[in-house]
Amino acid sequence: VNRSFFEVQRCNAAVLGGFRPDEGVVLCHNNLTNRTDMENMLTHELIHAYDHCRNKNMDWLDLKQHACSEVRASNLSGDCHWVNEMFRGYFGVENGHQKCVRRRAELSTAMNPRCRDRGEASRVVGEVFEQCFKDTRPFDDIP
């Protein structure tokens, strides 16, 4: 990885950053307001980079592959820590982490150009959820 793998830019969309296959990670400086958000975003995007590197045939337009990476990134990055969920207005305790991971993976998968709508995103995430949620690589467990 060289310096060009990370790009800091002003983003028009309400996102903290993103992963661009074969380019790297974008950090949206105008939307990153605190250290925790930046750390979670970097971890999330680096999970995508890890998935891209370990799967030689990774096709980000394939909804199942994309959804699986989104489940993993939401699960392993801190996105769904209970404090973050509380600040988002989600106070459910029972299966809160899994519900958050599913919701966030559906939102991201729905942005895939090949995804017709949120219903299709929900269906595809549901198909891959159990297997991909259990996959904690490169970590031993959920951090």
Side-chain angles (χ1 to χ4, degrees), residues 27-50:
L27 292 87
C28 299
H29 69 80
N30 56 308
N31 296 332
L32 290 166
T33 59
N34 61 64
R35 179 179 170 172
T36 300
D37 284 349
M38 185 180 78
E39 290 171 350
N40 290 346
M41 183 278 303
L42 281 172
T43 304
H44 182 110
E45 302 311 333
L46 288 173
I47 294 294
H48 290 320
Y50 178 87

PDB file of all heavy atoms in Angstrom, residues 27-50:
ATOM      1  N   LEU A  27     -11.530   9.269   2.273  1.00  0.00           N
ATOM      2  CA  LEU A  27     -11.995   9.823   3.546  1.00  0.00           C
ATOM      3  C   LEU A  27     -12.648  11.164   3.250  1.00  0.00           C
ATOM      4  O   LEU A  27     -12.033  12.035   2.619  1.00  0.00           O
ATOM      5  CB  LEU A  27     -10.829  10.049   4.510  1.00  0.00           C
ATOM      6  CG  LEU A  27     -10.119   8.828   5.045  1.00  0.00           C
ATOM      7  CD1 LEU A  27      -9.024   8.396   4.095  1.00  0.00           C
ATOM      8  CD2 LEU A  27      -9.545   9.135   6.398  1.00  0.00           C
ATOM      9  N   CYS A  28     -13.870  11.356   3.674  1.00  0.00           N
ATOM     10  CA  CYS A  28     -14.612  12.601   3.428  1.00  0.00           C
ATOM     11  C   CYS A  28     -14.396  13.546   4.607  1.00  0.00           C
ATOM     12  O   CYS A  28     -15.118  13.478   5.609  1.00  0.00           O
ATOM     13  CB  CYS A  28     -16.090  12.296   3.230  1.00  0.00           C
ATOM     14  SG  CYS A  28     -16.398  11.218   1.805  1.00  0.00           S
ATOM     15  N   HIS A  29     -13.430  14.431   4.470  1.00  0.00           N
ATOM     16  CA  HIS A  29     -13.048  15.292   5.596  1.00  0.00           C
ATOM     17  C   HIS A  29     -14.181  16.182   6.076  1.00  0.00           C
ATOM     18  O   HIS A  29     -14.269  16.489   7.260  1.00  0.00           O
ATOM     19  CB  HIS A  29     -11.809  16.130   5.257  1.00  0.00           C
ATOM     20  CG  HIS A  29     -12.051  17.196   4.227  1.00  0.00           C
ATOM     21  ND1 HIS A  29     -12.625  18.398   4.528  1.00  0.00           N
ATOM     22  CD2 HIS A  29     -11.800  17.213   2.900  1.00  0.00           C
ATOM     23  CE1 HIS A  29     -12.715  19.133   3.431  1.00  0.00           C
ATOM     24  NE2 HIS A  29     -12.220  18.430   2.432  1.00  0.00           N
ATOM     25  N   ASN A  30     -15.081  16.562   5.205  1.00  0.00           N
ATOM     26  CA  ASN A  30     -16.165  17.447   5.609  1.00  0.00           C
ATOM     27  C   ASN A  30     -17.270  16.721   6.383  1.00  0.00           C
ATOM     28  O   ASN A  30     -18.116  17.361   7.003  1.00  0.00           O
ATOM     29  CB  ASN A  30     -16.761  18.171   4.397  1.00  0.00           C
ATOM     30  CG  ASN A  30     -17.234  17.219   3.310  1.00  0.00           C
ATOM     31  OD1 ASN A  30     -16.490  16.342   2.873  1.00  0.00           O
ATOM     32  ND2 ASN A  30     -18.460  17.398   2.856  1.00  0.00           N
ATOM     33  N   ASN A  31     -17.254  15.393   6.371  1.00  0.00           N
ATOM     34  CA  ASN A  31     -18.286  14.633   7.082  1.00  0.00           C
ATOM     35  C   ASN A  31     -17.752  13.888   8.300  1.00  0.00           C
ATOM     36  O   ASN A  31     -18.536  13.352   9.080  1.00  0.00           O
ATOM     37  CB  ASN A  31     -18.955  13.642   6.130  1.00  0.00           C
ATOM     38  CG  ASN A  31     -19.708  14.341   5.014  1.00  0.00           C
ATOM     39  OD1 ASN A  31     -20.173  15.461   5.174  1.00  0.00           O
ATOM     40  ND2 ASN A  31     -19.804  13.700   3.876  1.00  0.00           N
ATOM     41  N   LEU A  32     -16.441  13.838   8.449  1.00  0.00           N
ATOM     42  CA  LEU A  32     -15.835  13.174   9.604  1.00  0.00           C
ATOM     43  C   LEU A  32     -15.684  14.198  10.719  1.00  0.00           C
ATOM     44  O   LEU A  32     -14.868  15.113  10.627  1.00  0.00           O
ATOM     45  CB  LEU A  32     -14.474  12.578   9.231  1.00  0.00           C
ATOM     46  CG  LEU A  32     -14.529  11.376   8.311  1.00  0.00           C
ATOM     47  CD1 LEU A  32     -13.162  11.072   7.720  1.00  0.00           C
ATOM     48  CD2 LEU A  32     -15.070  10.164   9.061  1.00  0.00           C
ATOM     49  N   THR A  33     -16.478  14.052  11.756  1.00  0.00           N
ATOM     50  CA  THR A  33     -16.494  15.072  12.809  1.00  0.00           C
ATOM     51  C   THR A  33     -15.796  14.654  14.089  1.00  0.00           C
ATOM     52  O   THR A  33     -15.585  15.487  14.965  1.00  0.00           O
ATOM     53  CB  THR A  33     -17.949  15.464  13.141  1.00  0.00           C
ATOM     54  OG1 THR A  33     -18.648  14.293  13.578  1.00  0.00           O
ATOM     55  CG2 THR A  33     -18.657  16.063  11.929  1.00  0.00           C
ATOM     56  N   ASN A  34     -15.460  13.364  14.217  1.00  0.00           N
ATOM     57  CA  ASN A  34     -14.774  12.936  15.430  1.00  0.00           C
ATOM     58  C   ASN A  34     -13.920  11.703  15.150  1.00  0.00           C
ATOM     59  O   ASN A  34     -14.059  11.044  14.125  1.00  0.00           O
ATOM     60  CB  ASN A  34     -15.760  12.689  16.581  1.00  0.00           C
ATOM     61  CG  ASN A  34     -16.752  11.594  16.262  1.00  0.00           C
ATOM     62  OD1 ASN A  34     -16.366  10.441  16.092  1.00  0.00           O
ATOM     63  ND2 ASN A  34     -18.036  11.940  16.164  1.00  0.00           N
ATOM     64  N   ARG A  35     -13.051  11.423  16.093  1.00  0.00           N
ATOM     65  CA  ARG A  35     -12.088  10.335  15.944  1.00  0.00           C
ATOM     66  C   ARG A  35     -12.771   8.964  15.829  1.00  0.00           C
ATOM     67  O   ARG A  35     -12.373   8.130  15.012  1.00  0.00           O
ATOM     68  CB  ARG A  35     -11.142  10.354  17.142  1.00  0.00           C
ATOM     69  CG  ARG A  35     -10.114   9.280  17.128  1.00  0.00           C
ATOM     70  CD  ARG A  35      -9.221   9.402  18.340  1.00  0.00           C
ATOM     71  NE  ARG A  35      -8.374   8.239  18.461  1.00  0.00           N
ATOM     72  CZ  ARG A  35      -7.400   8.133  19.314  1.00  0.00           C
ATOM     73  NH1 ARG A  35      -7.142   9.128  20.143  1.00  0.00           N
ATOM     74  NH2 ARG A  35      -6.678   7.046  19.373  1.00  0.00           N
ATOM     75  N   THR A  36     -13.786   8.738  16.620  1.00  0.00           N
ATOM     76  CA  THR A  36     -14.473   7.447  16.593  1.00  0.00           C
ATOM     77  C   THR A  36     -15.083   7.181  15.228  1.00  0.00           C
ATOM     78  O   THR A  36     -14.946   6.075  14.685  1.00  0.00           O
ATOM     79  CB  THR A  36     -15.552   7.373  17.692  1.00  0.00           C
ATOM     80  OG1 THR A  36     -14.920   7.544  18.960  1.00  0.00           O
ATOM     81  CG2 THR A  36     -16.295   6.049  17.665  1.00  0.00           C
ATOM     82  N   ASP A  37     -15.749   8.169  14.650  1.00  0.00           N
ATOM     83  CA  ASP A  37     -16.323   7.995  13.311  1.00  0.00           C
ATOM     84  C   ASP A  37     -15.235   7.681  12.294  1.00  0.00           C
ATOM     85  O   ASP A  37     -15.410   6.831  11.419  1.00  0.00           O
ATOM     86  CB  ASP A  37     -17.084   9.245  12.873  1.00  0.00           C
ATOM     87  CG  ASP A  37     -18.430   9.391  13.553  1.00  0.00           C
ATOM     88  OD1 ASP A  37     -18.886   8.429  14.202  1.00  0.00           O
ATOM     89  OD2 ASP A  37     -19.026  10.484  13.429  1.00  0.00           O
ATOM     90  N   MET A  38     -14.093   8.373  12.398  1.00  0.00           N
ATOM     91  CA  MET A  38     -13.002   8.140  11.454  1.00  0.00           C
ATOM     92  C   MET A  38     -12.438   6.729  11.619  1.00  0.00           C
ATOM     93  O   MET A  38     -12.218   6.017  10.635  1.00  0.00           O
ATOM     94  CB  MET A  38     -11.883   9.152  11.612  1.00  0.00           C
ATOM     95  CG  MET A  38     -10.807   8.990  10.547  1.00  0.00           C
ATOM     96  SD  MET A  38      -9.471  10.162  10.685  1.00  0.00           S
ATOM     97  CE  MET A  38      -8.556   9.437  12.032  1.00  0.00           C
ATOM     98  N   GLU A  39     -12.237   6.292  12.859  1.00  0.00           N
ATOM     99  CA  GLU A  39     -11.711   4.947  13.103  1.00  0.00           C
ATOM    100  C   GLU A  39     -12.673   3.869  12.599  1.00  0.00           C
ATOM    101  O   GLU A  39     -12.250   2.901  11.963  1.00  0.00           O
ATOM    102  CB  GLU A  39     -11.427   4.746  14.590  1.00  0.00           C
ATOM    103  CG  GLU A  39     -10.243   5.549  15.081  1.00  0.00           C
ATOM    104  CD  GLU A  39     -10.092   5.518  16.594  1.00  0.00           C
ATOM    105  OE1 GLU A  39     -11.003   5.028  17.306  1.00  0.00           O
ATOM    106  OE2 GLU A  39      -9.047   6.003  17.077  1.00  0.00           O
ATOM    107  N   ASN A  40     -13.960   4.045  12.869  1.00  0.00           N
ATOM    108  CA  ASN A  40     -14.956   3.074  12.406  1.00  0.00           C
ATOM    109  C   ASN A  40     -15.030   3.045  10.883  1.00  0.00           C
ATOM    110  O   ASN A  40     -15.106   1.975  10.267  1.00  0.00           O
ATOM    111  CB  ASN A  40     -16.329   3.375  12.993  1.00  0.00           C
ATOM    112  CG  ASN A  40     -16.409   3.107  14.480  1.00  0.00           C
ATOM    113  OD1 ASN A  40     -15.546   2.468  15.068  1.00  0.00           O
ATOM    114  ND2 ASN A  40     -17.444   3.626  15.105  1.00  0.00           N
ATOM    115  N   MET A  41     -14.998   4.219  10.267  1.00  0.00           N
ATOM    116  CA  MET A  41     -15.060   4.303   8.811  1.00  0.00           C
ATOM    117  C   MET A  41     -13.838   3.645   8.191  1.00  0.00           C
ATOM    118  O   MET A  41     -13.959   2.860   7.244  1.00  0.00           O
ATOM    119  CB  MET A  41     -15.173   5.761   8.359  1.00  0.00           C
ATOM    120  CG  MET A  41     -15.322   5.950   6.854  1.00  0.00           C
ATOM    121  SD  MET A  41     -13.805   5.907   5.868  1.00  0.00           S
ATOM    122  CE  MET A  41     -12.859   7.186   6.613  1.00  0.00           C
ATOM    123  N   LEU A  42     -12.652   3.926   8.725  1.00  0.00           N
ATOM    124  CA  LEU A  42     -11.442   3.316   8.177  1.00  0.00           C
ATOM    125  C   LEU A  42     -11.483   1.796   8.311  1.00  0.00           C
ATOM    126  O   LEU A  42     -11.141   1.067   7.373  1.00  0.00           O
ATOM    127  CB  LEU A  42     -10.192   3.874   8.858  1.00  0.00           C
ATOM    128  CG  LEU A  42      -9.730   5.235   8.367  1.00  0.00           C
ATOM    129  CD1 LEU A  42      -8.606   5.763   9.254  1.00  0.00           C
ATOM    130  CD2 LEU A  42      -9.273   5.163   6.920  1.00  0.00           C
ATOM    131  N   THR A  43     -11.902   1.311   9.463  1.00  0.00           N
ATOM    132  CA  THR A  43     -12.000  -0.135   9.655  1.00  0.00           C
ATOM    133  C   THR A  43     -13.000  -0.728   8.677  1.00  0.00           C
ATOM    134  O   THR A  43     -12.737  -1.760   8.043  1.00  0.00           O
ATOM    135  CB  THR A  43     -12.397  -0.474  11.106  1.00  0.00           C
ATOM    136  OG1 THR A  43     -11.450   0.125  11.994  1.00  0.00           O
ATOM    137  CG2 THR A  43     -12.433  -1.972  11.336  1.00  0.00           C
ATOM    138  N   HIS A  44     -14.155  -0.082   8.523  1.00  0.00           N
ATOM    139  CA  HIS A  44     -15.191  -0.547   7.596  1.00  0.00           C
ATOM    140  C   HIS A  44     -14.618  -0.666   6.183  1.00  0.00           C
ATOM    141  O   HIS A  44     -14.739  -1.708   5.532  1.00  0.00           O
ATOM    142  CB  HIS A  44     -16.368   0.428   7.629  1.00  0.00           C
ATOM    143  CG  HIS A  44     -17.519   0.037   6.767  1.00  0.00           C
ATOM    144  ND1 HIS A  44     -18.716  -0.394   7.298  1.00  0.00           N
ATOM    145  CD2 HIS A  44     -17.674   0.024   5.417  1.00  0.00           C
ATOM    146  CE1 HIS A  44     -19.551  -0.663   6.298  1.00  0.00           C
ATOM    147  NE2 HIS A  44     -18.940  -0.408   5.148  1.00  0.00           N
ATOM    148  N   GLU A  45     -13.974   0.387   5.715  1.00  0.00           N
ATOM    149  CA  GLU A  45     -13.462   0.396   4.339  1.00  0.00           C
ATOM    150  C   GLU A  45     -12.284  -0.564   4.177  1.00  0.00           C
ATOM    151  O   GLU A  45     -12.120  -1.172   3.112  1.00  0.00           O
ATOM    152  CB  GLU A  45     -13.082   1.816   3.913  1.00  0.00           C
ATOM    153  CG  GLU A  45     -14.215   2.830   3.998  1.00  0.00           C
ATOM    154  CD  GLU A  45     -15.534   2.394   3.355  1.00  0.00           C
ATOM    155  OE1 GLU A  45     -15.524   1.562   2.416  1.00  0.00           O
ATOM    156  OE2 GLU A  45     -16.591   2.892   3.784  1.00  0.00           O
ATOM    157  N   LEU A  46     -11.486  -0.737   5.211  1.00  0.00           N
ATOM    158  CA  LEU A  46     -10.368  -1.685   5.124  1.00  0.00           C
ATOM    159  C   LEU A  46     -10.853  -3.133   5.128  1.00  0.00           C
ATOM    160  O   LEU A  46     -10.189  -4.008   4.571  1.00  0.00           O
ATOM    161  CB  LEU A  46      -9.354  -1.426   6.233  1.00  0.00           C
ATOM    162  CG  LEU A  46      -8.528  -0.146   6.043  1.00  0.00           C
ATOM    163  CD1 LEU A  46      -7.683   0.124   7.277  1.00  0.00           C
ATOM    164  CD2 LEU A  46      -7.663  -0.229   4.786  1.00  0.00           C
ATOM    165  N   ILE A  47     -12.009  -3.396   5.728  1.00  0.00           N
ATOM    166  CA  ILE A  47     -12.616  -4.735   5.597  1.00  0.00           C
ATOM    167  C   ILE A  47     -12.972  -4.977   4.130  1.00  0.00           C
ATOM    168  O   ILE A  47     -12.726  -6.059   3.587  1.00  0.00           O
ATOM    169  CB  ILE A  47     -13.857  -4.903   6.508  1.00  0.00           C
ATOM    170  CG1 ILE A  47     -13.463  -4.857   7.987  1.00  0.00           C
ATOM    171  CG2 ILE A  47     -14.622  -6.188   6.168  1.00  0.00           C
ATOM    172  CD1 ILE A  47     -12.598  -5.998   8.465  1.00  0.00           C
ATOM    173  N   HIS A  48     -13.515  -3.960   3.468  1.00  0.00           N
ATOM    174  CA  HIS A  48     -13.792  -4.102   2.030  1.00  0.00           C
ATOM    175  C   HIS A  48     -12.488  -4.351   1.256  1.00  0.00           C
ATOM    176  O   HIS A  48     -12.454  -5.201   0.358  1.00  0.00           O
ATOM    177  CB  HIS A  48     -14.479  -2.861   1.473  1.00  0.00           C
ATOM    178  CG  HIS A  48     -15.873  -2.661   1.940  1.00  0.00           C
ATOM    179  ND1 HIS A  48     -16.788  -3.687   2.087  1.00  0.00           N
ATOM    180  CD2 HIS A  48     -16.541  -1.519   2.282  1.00  0.00           C
ATOM    181  CE1 HIS A  48     -17.941  -3.191   2.502  1.00  0.00           C
ATOM    182  NE2 HIS A  48     -17.816  -1.876   2.626  1.00  0.00           N
ATOM    183  N   ALA A  49     -11.446  -3.614   1.590  1.00  0.00           N
ATOM    184  CA  ALA A  49     -10.157  -3.803   0.912  1.00  0.00           C
ATOM    185  C   ALA A  49      -9.636  -5.223   1.150  1.00  0.00           C
ATOM    186  O   ALA A  49      -9.126  -5.874   0.230  1.00  0.00           O
ATOM    187  CB  ALA A  49      -9.149  -2.769   1.396  1.00  0.00           C
ATOM    188  N   TYR A  50      -9.784  -5.717   2.372  1.00  0.00           N
ATOM    189  CA  TYR A  50      -9.367  -7.081   2.698  1.00  0.00           C
ATOM    190  C   TYR A  50     -10.149  -8.085   1.851  1.00  0.00           C
ATOM    191  O   TYR A  50      -9.572  -9.012   1.266  1.00  0.00           O
ATOM    192  CB  TYR A  50      -9.587  -7.332   4.191  1.00  0.00           C
ATOM    193  CG  TYR A  50      -9.245  -8.724   4.652  1.00  0.00           C
ATOM    194  CD1 TYR A  50      -7.950  -9.052   5.030  1.00  0.00           C
ATOM    195  CD2 TYR A  50     -10.219  -9.715   4.710  1.00  0.00           C
ATOM    196  CE1 TYR A  50      -7.634 -10.336   5.454  1.00  0.00           C
ATOM    197  CE2 TYR A  50      -9.913 -10.998   5.132  1.00  0.00           C
ATOM    198  CZ  TYR A  50      -8.619 -11.303   5.506  1.00  0.00           C
ATOM    199  OH  TYR A  50      -8.314 -12.571   5.916  1.00  0.00           O
TER     200      TYR A  50
END
